[in-house]
Structure formats: structure tokens, C-alpha cells
Amino acid sequence: MSQVEVELLRKGIDAWNRRDVDLWLNYAAPQIQWLPAGPAAVEREVYRGYDEVRSGTRLPGKPTMCSSYRKTRCVIWAIQRCGSGA
């Protein structure tokens, strides 16, 4: 994994931790699939693509992330290359 890829990963996690869904999705591939836990899992088991993922993280009528995710924080313990990288 290159340093550029590591920085992209760190920025994406930072966007999640700041609850900035739109910025977080800038670091995701268009074919993103999100399997949530908590309230978002009631609506769907899997959210596919930017629009579905965005809708699953929002409270109805509010532009912020679902309140249950405010207590969730991602922490990087280690980053290591897996697989062939091809």
C-alpha cells in the first residue's frame, strides 16, 4: 500500500469520525456496499451506491448522520497490505 493510499484511508476514516457523510463518500468507490448495524439495518440489510448509503446514514429530514453513529468512532491500529494488490 502506497503512502498516498494510506493517506486516503486516513482521510476517509477522519471524515467518518467527523460525521461528514458527503466527504466520507468522496473516498468510497461508486460500487460501495454498506452493511450497517443499529437503526439503519432496520430499513435495509445492505445499502448499495452513494445515494443508498447516504440515505441510510441520515435522520429523516436532517442533513446529519444518524444519532446512533455519534458514539461510534473508527481507530486505525495498523495498516498492512493484503493480497496481491492487483
Side-chain angles (χ1 to χ4, degrees):
M1 181 175 268
S2 73
Q3 190 59 37
V4 170
E5 292 169 321
V6 169
E7 286 307 310
L8 287 173
L9 176 62
R10 288 183 190 280
K11 288 178 180 181
I13 290 172
D14 182 59
W16 172 267
N17 287 338
R18 289 187 288 126
R19 308 303 181 248
D20 189 335
V21 176
D22 292 322
L23 181 58
W24 175 59
L25 289 173
N26 282 332
Y27 296 102
Q31 63 273 25
I32 184 174
Q33 292 188 25
W34 180 48
L35 289 73
V42 173
E43 295 294 322
R44 313 183 125 191
E45 290 183 17
V46 179
Y47 292 81
R48 292 180 174 85
Y50 298 137
D51 291 337
E52 286 186 12
V53 170
R54 187 177 290 109
S55 72
T57 62
R58 309 270 172 141
L59 290 168
K62 296 190 178 187
T64 58
M65 270 183 110
C66 183
S67 61
S68 65
Y69 295 107
R70 290 187 186 136
K71 296 178 183 177
T72 304
R73 182 165 176 78
C74 294
V75 177
I76 300 173
W77 292 101
I79 298 173
Q80 86 184 68
R81 183 183 197 103
C82 297
S84 66

